C-alpha cells in the first residue's frame, strides 16, 4: 500500500488531530529546522559551579562602564569579588574570551555591563561561510518562515529554492557550525573538535566552560543580541557547560540554545523579549535549568525538546532516570510557559507558569524530532495559573507583529506568537505517553485546567499502521489542587479536565476540586490508575475535528493570523463571571459531551481528514512550485 493511500485511509477513518502547540508542515515547523540530531551516549554528568576564584579564568568587562557599575554596588560580597576581578580584565568581548580558552573547565567571568558583541554580530562572512549547504531533509525557503529568519538580508522569492537561500541556511552541519561560528550565533561554545570521528562527545579545551555573570542580580550583566543573530548563546556538544547570573534578550530565535550536549546547567538567567524561545535544549542529557525568569517570548519561555529518550523502552509508568530537570523557575507572559515536542524524560517541579496563553504543553506532532512519540515527563509541585493572556488579539490582530522585529516593542511587553495554542489552558498533552501531572496547583485558567488529546502517527510521518494509536496512553493526572490557590482563595478553571476519550491507561484521580466536584467532558469516565485507567477508544471525532482550522495559523497572513472557525484565539470568559448554564452554552462544540450514537462523528472525521489532506497537498504543492 502506498504512503499516500495509507495516509488517505488513516485520515478518512479516524479523526486527524492537527495544530496544537505548533503548526504541522509549514511556517513554524521551520522554526525548529536543524541538522539531524542524535542523543548523547549519556555517560556525562551535571557540572558543579566552579566558583568565582577559578585559576583557569578569563575576565570580561566594559571598561569604564563596568567600573562605574561596580562602584555603585552596595557593600558586600558581590562588590568585593568584582573589585578583585576588575584589574584582571583582559577582554571586552565574551566571544573573544571564549575563543581564547586553552584548557578545560575554564570560567569566563563577565563583569557588570551591557554586551552587544557588535564585533561578531556584524562581522563580515568569509566566502566559505557565505555559501553553506543545509543539513535539513526538508529545508524551507526563507520566504516560508513565519518566525525567525537567520539573517537580516532579503528573503528569497517564492519558487526559488536552494540556490537563492543557500547562503543563509539554518540547519548547518556541526562542522560548518563550528567553522562558521558567527553565522547564526552571537556567542558560541563548540565542544567537539573531531566532528569526523563519529562521536558527538565533548573532547576539546572547551569542555566544562562556565560563563558567569559576576553581578548581584541577573540584570547586572546583559547580553543584548539586538536581533543581530539567531541565537544569543549557543552551547553545541559542549559537555559540562554552565551559564549563570545574567540577562539575555532580543534574539531572533533563542536567547540560549543547548544542542547535543551531555551535562549542562543554566542557572539564574533572565531571558526576555526573544522572537521565539527564552531557553531551548534539544537532544541533550544530564541537564538542569533552574532559578531563571523567562518572559516576553513568542514561543516558549522554557523548551526541553527531544530530551534524551531514556525511557523509550520502559514499559512502566515510573521512570528509570530523567534527562533534564527544570526547577524553581518563573516563566510568564510568553505564548507558552513551557513546551516540548518529544519532551521525553523531563522533570519540572516547583516552578511557576503564569500569565501565558498556555502554561505547559508537550506534543508528538512534528517529524524530524528524535525521540517521538513523547513519553515519561513529570510536572509536579508547580503553580500553573492565570494562563489567559491573549497575545493574538492584542498584537497579531493589531498588526504589531507585521513590523520589523526591532520595532515591535518586545522589551516593552509585546509578544508575537509564533505558534497556535488554546488561550486559557493550564496543561496541554498533545499525544504524549506515561506523563505524570501530579501535586500541582492549577487554577484560574479560563478555558481548561488540563487538556489531553491523541495525535495520529501519520502526522509525524510514521506510516506503520500498528503505530497509529501509539500516543495519549498511560498518562496520570492525580493529587492536583484544581481551582484554588495555595493561600485558599477560590479561582476556578473554565473546565477542570478536557479529554478526547482516546487511549489506554489514562486516569484522573485524587484531585481536589474547589467546588467539590470534577468538571470534565469525558464521555466514558476511565477507571482508577490502579485498575488500569482508560480502555482503548478511537477517540471522539467531533472533539478532535474542531482543532483543524487552528493549525492553519500564520501570524504573517492577514486571514490565517486568526483562522476562521478557530476558537483557540478567542479569549474565554472568566469562570466566576458566568453561571453554570452560561459555561455550558459558551463552551466550544468540540469540548462538550458527545452522544456517539448520534451519527455525526464519522462524518466529521471524514470531513476533517479530507480537509487536512487537501491542506497538506496545497502546502506541499506550493513548496514544489
Amino acid at each position: 500500500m502506498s504512503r499516500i493511500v495509507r495516509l488517505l485511509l488513516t485520515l478518512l477513518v479516524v479523526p486527524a488531530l492537527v495544530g496544537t502547540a505548533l503548526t504541522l508542515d509549514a511556517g513554524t515547523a521551520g522554526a525548529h529546522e536543524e541538522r539531524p540530531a542524535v542523543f548523547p551516549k549519556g555517560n556525562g554528568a551535571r557540572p558543579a559551579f566552579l566558583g568565582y576564584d577559578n585559576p583557569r579564568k578569563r575576565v570580561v568587562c566594559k571598561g569604564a562602564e563596568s567600573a562605574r557599575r561596580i562602584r555603585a554596588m552596595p557593600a558586600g560580597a558581590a562588590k568585593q569579588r568584582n573589585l578583585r576581578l576588575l584589574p584582571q580584565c583582559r577582554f571586552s568581548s565574551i566571544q573573544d574570551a571564549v575563543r581564547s580558552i586553552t584548557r578545560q573547565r575554564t570560567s569566563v567571568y563577565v563583569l557588570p555591563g551591557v554586551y552587544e558583541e557588535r564585533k561578531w554580530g556584524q562581522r563580515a562572512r568569509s566566502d566559505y561561510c557565505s555559501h553553506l549547504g543545509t543539513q535539513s531533509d526538508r529545508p524551507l525557503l526563507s520566504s516560508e518562515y513565519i518566525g525567525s529568519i537567520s539573517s537580516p538580508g532579503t528573503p528569497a522569492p517564492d519558487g526559488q529554492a536552494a540556490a537563492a537561500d543557500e547562503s543563509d541556511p539554518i540547519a548547518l552541519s556541526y562542522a560548518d557550525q563550528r567553522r562558521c561560528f558567527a553565522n547564526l550565533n552571537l556567542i558560541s561554545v563548540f565542544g567537539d573538535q573531531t566532528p569526523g570521528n563519529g562521536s558527538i562527545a565533548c573532547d576539546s579545551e572547551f569542555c566544562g566552560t562556565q560563563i558567569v555573570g559576576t553581578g548581584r542580580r541577573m540584570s547586572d550583566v546583559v547580553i543584548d543580541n539586538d536581533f543581530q543573530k539567531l541565537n544569543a548563546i549557543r552551547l553545541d556538544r559542549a559537555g559540562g557547560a554552565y551559564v549563570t547570573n545574567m540577562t539575555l534578550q532580543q534574539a531572533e530565535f533563542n536567547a540560549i540554545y543547548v544542542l547535543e550536549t551531555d551535562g549542562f546547567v543554566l542557572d539564574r538567567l533572565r531571558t526576555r523579549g526573544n522572537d521565539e524561545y527564552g531557553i531551548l535544549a534539544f537532544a541533550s542529557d544530564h541537564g538542569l535549568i533552574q532559578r531563571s525568569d523567562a518572559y516576553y517570548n513568542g514561543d516558549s519561555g522554557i523548551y526541553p525538546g527531544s530530551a534524551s529518550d531514556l525511557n523509550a523502552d520502559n514499559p512502566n509508568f515510573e521512570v528509570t532516570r530523567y534527562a533534564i530537570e527544570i526547577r524553581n523557575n518563573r516563566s510568564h507572559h510568553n505564548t507558552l510557559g513551557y513546551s516540548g515536542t518529544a519532551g521525553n524524560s523531563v522533570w519540572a517541579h516547583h516552578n511557576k507558569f503564569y500569565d501565558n496563553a498556555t502554561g505547559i504543553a508537550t506534543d508528538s506532532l512534528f517529524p524530524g524530532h528524535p525521540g517521538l512519540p513523547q513519553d515519561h515527563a513529570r510536572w509536579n509541585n508547580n503553580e500553573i495559573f492565570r494562563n489567559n493572556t491573549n497575545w493574538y488579539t492584542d498584537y497579531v490582530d493589531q498588526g504589531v507583529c507585521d513590523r520589523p522585529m526591532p520595532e515591535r516593542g518586545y522589551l516593552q511587553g509585546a509578544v508575537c506568537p509564533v505558534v497556535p495554542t488554546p488561550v486559557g489552558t493550564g496543561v496541554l498533552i498533545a499525544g504524549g505517553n506515561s506523563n505524570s501531572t501530579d501535586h500541582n496547583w492549577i487554577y484560574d485558567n479560563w478555558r481548561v485546567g488540563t487538556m489531553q488529546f491523541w495525535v495520529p502517527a501519520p502526522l509525524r510521518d510514521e506510516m506503520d499502521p500498528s503505530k497509529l494509536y501509539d500516543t495519549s496512553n498511560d498518562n496520570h493526572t492525580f493529587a492536583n489542587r484544581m481551582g484554588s490557590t495555595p493561600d485558599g482563595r477560590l479561582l476556578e478553571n473554565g473546565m477542570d479536565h478536557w479529554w478526547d476519550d482516546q487511549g489506554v491507561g489514562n486516569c484522573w484521580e485524587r484531585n481536589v476540586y474547589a467546588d467539590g466536584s470534577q468538571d470534565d467532558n469525558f464521555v466514558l469516565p476511565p477507571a482508577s490508575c490502579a485498575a488500569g485507567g482508560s480502555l482503548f477508544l478511537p477517540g471522539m471525532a467531533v472533539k478532535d475535528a474542531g482543532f483543524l482550522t487552528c493549525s492553519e495559523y500564520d501570524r504573517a497572513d492577514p486571514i490565517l493570523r486568526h483562522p476562521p472557525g478557530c476558537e483557540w484565539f478567542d479569549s474565554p470568559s472568566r469562570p466566576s463571571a458566568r453561571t453554570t448554564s452560561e459555561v455550558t452554552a459558551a463552551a466550544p462544540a468540540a469540548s462538550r459531551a458527545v452522544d456517539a450514537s448520534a451519527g455525526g462523528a464519522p462524518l466529521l472525521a471524514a470531513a476533517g481528514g479530507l480537509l487536512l489532506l487537501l491542506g497538506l497537498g496545497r502546502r506541499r504543492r506550493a513548496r514544489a512550485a
Side-chain angles (χ1 to χ4, degrees), residues 25-87:
D25 195 50
T28 54
H32 289 274
E33 189 173 320
E34 185 52 87
R35 66 174 189 262
V38 297
F39 298 128
K41 287 188 175 180
N43 51 8
R46 186 184 295 176
F49 181 50
L50 297 175
Y52 293 98
D53 297 300
N54 184 4
R56 302 179 182 182
K57 64 175 173 287
R58 303 290 187 270
V59 181
V60 186
C61 68
K62 295 295 289 185
E65 177 190 344
S66 293
R68 183 177 64 255
R69 289 171 179 257
I70 293 168
R71 287 195 302 269
M73 283 183 173
K79 184 170 187 174
Q80 289 304 310
R81 69 172 172 256
N82 279 279
L83 288 172
R84 185 179 68 252
L85 288 167
L86 183 59

Side-chain angles (χ1 to χ4, degrees), residues 311-312 314-319 322 343-346 362 373-379 429 431-437 452 470-477 504-506:
N311 295 279
N314 178 8
N316 303 313
F317 179 75
E318 299 298 328
V319 303
Y322 289 109
N344 309 307
S345 305
V346 177
T362 196
Q374 185 275 337
D375 67 279
H376 287 94
R378 184 186 185 192
W379 310 287
I429 300 175
N433 300 317
S434 300
N435 295 299
S436 184
T437 307
Q452 178 180 317
D470 67 352
T471 65
S472 290
N473 300 303
D474 298 307
N475 297 296
H476 297 188
T477 302
V504 178
N506 299 299

Side-chain angles (χ1 to χ4, degrees), residues 11-301:
L11 297 175
L12 289 175
V13 173
V14 299
L17 177 64
V18 189
T20 54
L22 302 166
T23 49
L24 173 65
D25 195 50
T28 54
H32 289 274
E33 189 173 320
E34 185 52 87
R35 66 174 189 262
V38 297
F39 298 128
K41 287 188 175 180
N43 51 8
R46 186 184 295 176
F49 181 50
L50 297 175
Y52 293 98
D53 297 300
N54 184 4
R56 302 179 182 182
K57 64 175 173 287
R58 303 290 187 270
V59 181
V60 186
C61 68
K62 295 295 289 185
E65 177 190 344
S66 293
R68 183 177 64 255
R69 289 171 179 257
I70 293 168
R71 287 195 302 269
M73 283 183 173
K79 184 170 187 174
Q80 289 304 310
R81 69 172 172 256
N82 279 279
L83 288 172
R84 185 179 68 252
L85 288 167
L86 183 59
Q88 304 174 59
C89 176
R90 300 290 181 270
F91 298 91
S92 60
S93 161
I94 301 169
Q95 182 69 95
D96 281 349
V98 169
R99 288 181 59 78
S100 76
I101 289 173
T102 58
R103 301 176 70 186
Q104 294 185 0
R105 293 168 56 84
T106 294
S107 297
V108 177
Y109 296 125
V110 186
L111 274 56
V114 178
Y115 297 83
E116 295 178 322
E117 297 284 319
R118 296 290 182 188
K119 172 182 177 180
W120 299 105
Q122 300 179 2
R123 178 185 170 108
R125 294 182 183 176
S126 68
D127 182 71
Y128 179 88
C129 294
S130 295
H131 297 88
L132 300 176
T134 183
Q135 290 274 295
S136 175
D137 292 332
R138 294 191 299 176
L140 295 179
L141 298 175
S142 60
S143 56
E144 290 180 307
Y145 283 88
I146 70 167
S148 299
I149 299 174
S150 61
S151 167
T154 303
D158 285 324
Q160 296 182 22
D165 273 0
E166 68 179 4
S167 65
D168 214 11
I170 289 175
L172 305 180
S173 68
Y174 175 81
D176 279 345
Q177 281 279 7
R178 183 169 174 265
R179 180 170 177 176
C180 302
F181 58 91
N183 268 32
L184 307 176
N185 315 295
L186 197 67
I187 299 164
S188 54
V189 180
F190 292 96
D192 177 9
Q193 66 181 349
T194 54
N197 69 354
S199 169
I200 67 169
C202 192
D203 60 2
S204 73
E205 63 272 24
F206 300 109
C207 304
T209 295
Q210 302 204 351
I211 303 176
V212 180
T214 63
R216 293 176 58 242
R217 300 178 298 258
M218 292 181 281
S219 57
D220 287 345
V221 173
V222 177
I223 298 175
D224 191 349
N225 191 13
D226 199 22
F227 305 108
Q228 299 174 90
K229 296 292 180 180
L230 206 66
N231 309 299
I233 295 181
R234 182 187 187 110
L235 307 174
D236 202 332
R237 302 186 183 179
Y242 202 114
V243 182
T244 184
N245 196 27
M246 59 184 61
T247 293
L248 302 102
Q249 62 191 35
Q250 298 197 110
E252 290 183 331
F253 193 3
N254 307 297
I256 187 161
Y257 184 17
V258 183
L259 179 62
E260 290 186 336
T261 291
D262 195 356
F264 70 90
V265 173
L266 308 179
D267 176 39
R268 296 186 67 221
L269 299 179
R270 176 172 292 165
T271 56
R272 64 184 183 185
N274 302 288
D275 191 53
E276 298 205 16
Y277 299 92
I279 296 172
L280 187 148
F282 196 84
S284 295
D285 197 356
H286 289 104
L288 173 63
I289 302 169
Q290 67 174 358
R291 301 190 298 176
S292 293
D293 187 16
Y295 57 95
Y296 301 160
N297 297 293
D299 194 298
S300 315

Side-chain angles (χ1 to χ4, degrees), residues 293-350:
D293 187 16
Y295 57 95
Y296 301 160
N297 297 293
D299 194 298
S300 315
I302 301 173
Y303 178 94
S306 284
S308 284
D309 201 1
L310 306 174
N311 295 279
D313 300 320
N314 178 8
N316 303 313
F317 179 75
E318 299 298 328
V319 303
T320 56
R321 177 171 71 81
Y322 289 109
I324 295 178
E325 182 180 1
I326 300 170
R327 68 188 186 198
N328 300 313
N329 301 283
R330 294 191 305 153
S331 187
H332 56 99
H333 295 91
N334 310 288
T335 301
L336 302 109
Y338 162 121
S339 72
T341 298
N344 309 307
S345 305
V346 177
W347 179 25
H349 62 97
H350 295 94

